[in-house]
Amino acid sequence: MNIAENPTTESLEQFAREIRAGLCQAGQKTLPSKYLYDPLGSTLFEAISLLPEYGLTRAEERILRQYSREIVRRVPKPAMVPELGSGSGRKTRWLLTALCERESLSYYPIEISRSALSSCKSELRDIEHVSIVGVEREYLDGLREVASLRPHGTHLLVLFLGSTIGNFDSGADARFLGEVRGFLLPGDSLLLGTDLMKPVDQMLKAYDDPLGVTAAFNLNLLARINQELDADFNLRHFRHSSTFNEVTGSVEMHIRSTREQTVSFRREGFSVTFRKDETIWTESCHKYSRESIGELAALSGFRTEAQWIDDQWPFAETLLFAS
Ligand code: AVI
């Protein structure tokens, strides 16, 4: 079953508006990172998660494989489980399997990407006693919807895995978690996956792999814009680049124009000029410390119940309770 957003044209209009706003603003050009995940982008992200340089996904999987039962023991029942950004669903399998050992439950993956939603559903379809209801919405709209379905006395366990919280701009992570908290009741819980700070060299390799998969993932956003907005980005005249911002503690992904050039957006009837070496900032990947996770939780109305850290790749899974 699916809870779907119906008007596809409205999403195309919103896509066009946000792309135009990001490329036409004064100063640093930007594109929203959520648009990296079209069907090809989601597949490329799956490939990134297999790269030896990108240990994040495997670290979280190790934690969930090893500690899901322990996590579940700390969560009151009955529970319903919304997940913000289901991805492929592979990591969630461990948690759902542990949860359904104690009760039947409903799992609500919330995703704007229809293809990610359907691969998540087919990945998890075989788990017994779990009914999967896909929610094709932005995270907060989806969570609002799921929270409104909560039967009296049922506990919400919100999953926000994979360090997607790190893809918010600095400060926006706490605001977002504060909004999540707004849909919860005291005692509800949030399982939050966050990548931890590591040597700069190691972080940069994770976001600029020698095989060029991350570069393809990033540049695919331009290909998507070409296709959906009838634009004429020449992908050979743009390069992927990753830098570490010491001030914000984030790896930043950019797309750099290798020459002066003009790109036309025929569907929308505007054009954008690029200087040589000018960049479009497409994504921030913030790296946390154990202390900063606690601070983030407290700022947004949660308390830390427990935390698990991978011993091969610094990554933290933190169970928070709405206070
Ligand atoms: C989805 N997100 C947590 C990834 C990250 O590491 O921040 C996105 C990503 N971008 C490039 N590689 C991976």
Side-chain angles (χ1 to χ4, degrees):
M1 197 173 104
N2 252 8
I3 298 173
E5 190 83 80
N6 26 356
T8 352
T9 39
E10 196 196 302
S11 348
L12 183 63
E13 292 315 323
Q14 187 185 343
F15 178 69
R17 261 196 317 276
E18 292 185 31
I19 300 304
R20 184 175 190 157
L23 294 180
C24 295
Q25 69 197 3
Q28 174 69 61
K29 292 178 169 57
T30 59
L31 286 171
S33 61
K34 63 182 175 181
Y35 291 129
L36 290 163
Y37 300 88
D38 68 348
L40 180 53
S42 300
T43 306
L44 287 166
F45 179 64
E46 284 300 302
I48 288 173
S49 70
L50 301 174
L51 293 169
E53 295 81 10
Y54 188 83
L56 189 157
T57 313
R58 288 185 297 279
E60 186 167 47
E61 234 173 307
R62 276 192 297 273
I63 295 174
L64 293 178
R65 194 177 331 131
Q66 198 173 346
Y67 296 109
S68 276
R69 284 209 172 117
E70 195 178 318
I71 294 169
V72 164
R73 269 201 299 277
R74 293 173 180 268
V75 174
K77 60 180 182 180
M80 53 199 267
V81 184
E83 177 165 15
L84 310 179
S86 59
S88 72
R90 214 172 41 235
K91 290 170 292 179
T92 316
R93 164 175 293 280
W94 301 103
L95 277 167
L96 294 179
T97 306
L99 275 162
C100 76
E101 279 171 7
R102 64 172 208 185
E103 60 178 320
S104 302
L105 65 124
S106 296
Y107 165 62
Y108 301 86
I110 303 170
E111 265 289 348
I112 51 164
S113 159
R114 188 170 294 182
S115 62
L117 212 48
S118 68
S119 47
C120 158
K121 285 164 78 182
S122 45
E123 167 80 26
L124 300 173
R125 173 172 56 201
D126 62 305
I127 306 179
E128 281 181 57
H129 310 301
V130 176
S131 91
I132 306 177
V133 184
V135 183
E136 198 184 326
R137 296 276 162 85
E138 301 260 356
Y139 295 154
L140 294 175
D141 291 342
L143 185 58
R144 179 187 299 110
E145 173 103 23
V146 175
S148 74
L149 304 172
R150 168 211 302 253
H152 182 72
T154 297
H155 177 87
L156 281 189
L157 165 61
V158 180
L159 308 180
F160 197 24
L161 307 179
S163 204
T164 303
I165 187 68
N167 297 135
F168 285 84
D169 290 340
S170 180
D173 51 1
R175 283 197 297 281
F176 178 80
L177 289 191
E179 290 190 72
V180 168
R181 171 65 188 86
F183 296 118
L184 305 185
L185 298 175
D188 283 342
S189 47
L190 168 67
L191 186 66
L192 183 69
T194 44
D195 202 22
L196 299 177
M197 196 61 83
K198 39 189 81 59
V200 173
D201 201 40
Q202 188 182 5
M203 291 190 284
L204 287 178
K205 280 197 190 112
Y207 292 90
D208 196 2
D209 60 280
L211 213 52
V213 184
T214 309
F217 169 70
N218 201 9
L219 290 168
N220 175 55
L221 182 49
L222 303 188
R224 174 179 184 178
I225 295 172
N226 280 350
Q227 210 162 35
E228 297 189 24
L229 301 183
D230 195 15
D232 62 358
F233 279 105
N234 183 334
L235 269 57
R236 297 193 189 283
H237 298 163
F238 289 89
R239 291 272 180 283
H240 164 71
S241 92
S242 293
T243 54
F244 183 68
N245 184 327
E246 300 273 356
V247 178
T248 60
S250 307
V251 177
E252 293 181 2
M253 291 210 314
H254 289 251
I255 296 173
R256 185 172 55 79
S257 172
T258 58
R259 56 180 69 187
E260 194 179 311
Q261 54 186 320
T262 300
V263 176
S264 303
F265 296 74
R266 288 178 288 250
R267 183 184 179 278
E268 307 305 305
F270 71 98
S271 58
V272 176
T273 56
F274 291 87
R275 297 186 309 275
K276 181 174 182 321
D277 292 327
E278 183 174 7
T279 72
I280 311 171
W281 184 2
T282 51
E283 188 171 51
S284 294
C285 310
H286 185 66
K287 304 301 162 189
Y288 294 85
S289 63
R290 294 177 75 155
E291 301 70 47
S292 68
I293 299 166
E295 285 160 16
L296 173 68
L299 261 178
S300 40
F302 290 94
R303 69 169 177 80
T304 304
E305 162 74 11
Q307 188 170 67
W308 297 266
I309 310 267
D310 185 57
D311 52 11
Q312 294 176 43
W313 174 280
F315 185 96
E317 205 70 78
T318 311
L319 183 63
L320 304 174
F321 275 75
S323 38

